[in-house]
Amino acid sequence: MIKFTLKCKNDHQFESWFQSAAAFDKLDAAGMVSCAVCGNGSVEKAMMAPSVRASRNAAPAPQAPSARGGLSAPTDDRARAIAALKRQVEENSEYVGTSFAKRARDMHDGVTPDRPIHGEAKPEEARRLIEDGVPILPLPFVPSRKSN
């Protein structure tokens, strides 16, 4: 997995994880990468510094606790960005439910035509897809059809 800092035509910067640089290029060419803030489809990689730990044993920096004792809640900007991403995904792809892993693999293998889909996969299914080079991404929200 690789994390890219991305920038849209409207100068919004955001980060996103991809299985590889090639997976980003494929998703971008298919028009499936859009700004997490405004939904603009004109996105490019921004300048970014590498993230390097001092050693394998070094612990990641702790997150600041909130006033209620838990981890900090997402900011309003982050919540708006996630809502915009959810709207973009749901308007421009087909919800395939729990058959996501099979359908993604069938498209990757050329059994069915490529098209934008989203759905659900068990962790083992997602891991196998990633290991086999199928370009997938976890979504930071629950699909509307799964909400109720």
Side-chain angles (χ1 to χ4, degrees), residues 91-114:
E91 288 175 0
N92 296 294
S93 67
E94 176 188 355
Y95 177 71
V96 296
T98 57
S99 68
F100 175 81
K102 179 182 180 348
R103 293 195 186 193
R105 183 171 302 283
D106 285 350
M107 284 188 282
H108 180 73
D109 293 343
V111 175
T112 60
D114 280 351

Side-chain angles (χ1 to χ4, degrees), residues 5-54:
T5 301
L6 304 173
K7 181 177 160 182
C8 81
K9 186 176 180 179
N10 296 324
D11 213 27
H12 298 123
Q13 283 198 355
F14 57 100
E15 296 176 340
S16 189
W17 287 90
F18 296 88
Q19 193 224 339
S20 64
F24 166 81
D25 293 338
K26 183 176 180 181
L27 290 168
D28 189 43
M32 296 179 68
V33 179
S34 62
C35 178
V37 178
C38 67
N40 188 302
S42 180
V43 174
E44 62 185 27
K45 295 177 196 170
M47 292 294 293
M48 56 189 224
S51 177
V52 179
R53 280 197 307 198

Side-chain angles (χ1 to χ4, degrees), residues 61-73:
Q63 290 185 324
S66 69
R68 291 181 282 181
L71 294 178
S72 300

Side-chain angles (χ1 to χ4, degrees), residues 118-142:
H118 68 282
E120 302 160 51
K122 294 178 182 174
E124 314 84 58
E125 293 172 327
R127 181 185 47 78
R128 281 190 300 255
L129 289 171
I130 290 168
E131 287 172 354
D132 293 343
V134 179
I136 64 167
L137 292 172
L139 296 174
F141 57 83
V142 175

